[in-house]
Amino acid sequence: MRIDVKDIVFAYKEKRILDGVSFSLESGKSYALMGKNGSGKTTLFKLMLGILEAKSGEILADGRRLTSPDGRVFSYIPQNTNTLSGYECIDVALMALASTLPVLSAPDKTSECNAKKLFEKLGIAKLGYERIENVSGGERALVLFARAILQNASFLMLDEPTANLDYENQISIHEKLDELKREDKGILFSTHNPSEALEFADEILILDDRKLIFSGGREEAYEEKVFERLYEGKIKVMGLNDGGKNRYVCLRA
Ligand code: ADP
């Protein structure tokens, strides 16, 4: 599947947030969405999900204009998941299937079994029957990740998916995302960490001052010094050769 975001203009009342933002995403690839706090990343996710409506511009999925939320196109893991309570973690994950089930019916045993297997794979099997409000922020993020996977949409959008996770779980999330990519899912994740974008994304998108100021691969980002420009020279990206493979690290300047 291909997503085309075309010339999106958006404002909260009079406050212009996005001004002519255009880019394309393809399934089977991962994209890191970056930009300073308040640059409009979450707003862009909400526009793509159909939760917010653009003043002008359009979002197309394989050429079809998206006018309302479509769970087959996008699944979403929000940044703030503290509002969920009263459910066992396994049921939170199974909510992913709600839109595909007949009214008032519950997920069957096979779905529950698949959810349990996924919990095992993500290392959160012990959380299945814990109440969501009783688990840590990082564990909650993994439960929400399981829910997004079960939804089986073409694109996964993740708002700072690794922000609450220990380093092992950060790597494990990206390994799982790589696996999903190989199954031809598209991945769009936001991050504030240039190293994470350079290490895990095929392409990087950067929002600044209402515009998309960069879209391209890591080598291009490195050569054009996009992070140095975004953070006004306070950081520097260094390229290194790791056994014949080009890799990049981000350091304080
Ligand atoms: P980011 O995710 O990049 O931090 P956001 O998309 O959350 O940025 O916010 C972009 C801007 O829009 C910020 O200035 C924020 O204060 C403002 N904003 C976000 N949500 C609302 C809202 N519901 N009403 C008015 N302004 C908002």
Side-chain angles (χ1 to χ4, degrees):
M1 182 176 270
R2 178 189 166 92
I3 301 294
D4 290 298
V5 172
K6 286 190 166 174
D7 216 9
I8 292 288
V9 175
F10 179 81
Y12 290 107
K13 298 212 172 90
E14 296 309 308
K15 190 177 170 192
R16 183 74 66 108
I17 307 294
L18 300 172
D19 199 357
V21 168
S22 300
F23 59 89
S24 298
L25 307 176
E26 282 167 27
S27 50
K29 288 179 86 170
S30 61
Y31 302 81
L33 178 61
M34 302 197 64
K36 293 178 184 169
N37 289 126
S39 59
K41 300 178 295 299
T42 305
T43 302
L44 182 58
F45 281 134
K46 289 181 179 169
L47 286 158
M48 293 173 78
L49 287 164
I51 297 171
L52 293 172
E53 197 181 337
K55 270 189 185 308
S56 62
E58 57 185 6
I59 295 164
L60 308 172
D62 281 342
R64 177 177 62 93
R65 190 173 180 160
L66 294 175
T67 49
S68 56
D70 186 339
R72 290 161 305 169
V73 178
F74 293 120
S75 58
Y76 178 56
I77 305 185
Q79 204 180 108
N80 183 355
T81 57
N82 296 338
T83 47
L84 270 170
S85 70
Y87 298 96
E88 289 175 351
C89 291
I90 198 88
D91 288 331
V92 170
L94 285 166
M95 283 173 196
L97 307 177
S99 64
T100 62
L101 292 172
V103 178
L104 296 180
S105 61
D108 58 17
K109 282 278 160 216
T110 318
S111 308
E112 193 171 332
C113 198
N114 287 341
K116 278 187 192 161
K117 277 191 203 145
L118 183 59
F119 271 43
E120 263 167 41
K121 214 166 163 189
L122 293 172
I124 51 170
K126 66 175 175 19
L127 300 183
Y129 298 100
E130 291 282 340
R131 299 266 291 232
I132 188 81
E133 65 272 29
N134 295 338
V135 306
S136 74
E139 289 170 332
R140 196 160 34 227
L142 291 167
V143 172
L144 272 280
F145 186 56
R147 180 170 78 175
I149 292 174
L150 288 174
Q151 192 180 321
N152 199 25
S154 297
F155 281 82
L156 256 88
M157 297 202 289
L158 309 99
D159 202 350
E160 295 185 38
T162 54
N164 280 318
L165 301 181
D166 64 46
Y167 200 66
E168 190 184 354
N169 274 327
Q170 291 184 27
I171 301 282
S172 135
I173 284 277
H174 280 292
E175 280 173 355
K176 186 68 202 158
L177 290 175
D178 278 347
E179 210 175 289
L180 291 166
K181 220 168 65 172
R182 287 193 292 276
E183 291 166 18
D184 207 35
K185 303 291 184 201
I187 313 290
L188 176 64
F189 66 94
S190 65
T191 175
H192 285 295
N193 182 350
S195 296
E196 186 182 7
L198 289 158
E199 179 75 18
F200 296 109
D202 297 311
E203 294 201 15
I204 297 166
L205 306 166
I206 303 182
L207 284 175
D208 191 34
D209 204 12
R210 302 188 294 276
K211 308 266 187 203
L212 190 75
I213 58 156
F214 177 81
S215 130
R218 67 195 93 183
E219 289 190 19
E220 208 180 330
Y222 173 66
E223 269 152 31
E224 290 187 16
K225 296 193 181 298
V226 283
F227 297 112
E228 286 86 341
R229 281 194 279 128
L230 179 66
Y231 294 108
E232 289 134 25
K234 294 190 182 76
I235 62 166
K236 64 175 169 183
V237 176
M238 295 182 69
L240 51 97
N241 186 297
D242 180 20
K245 192 177 164 203
N246 286 340
R247 302 186 75 178
Y248 303 91
V249 285
C250 180
L251 303 165
R252 191 171 69 167

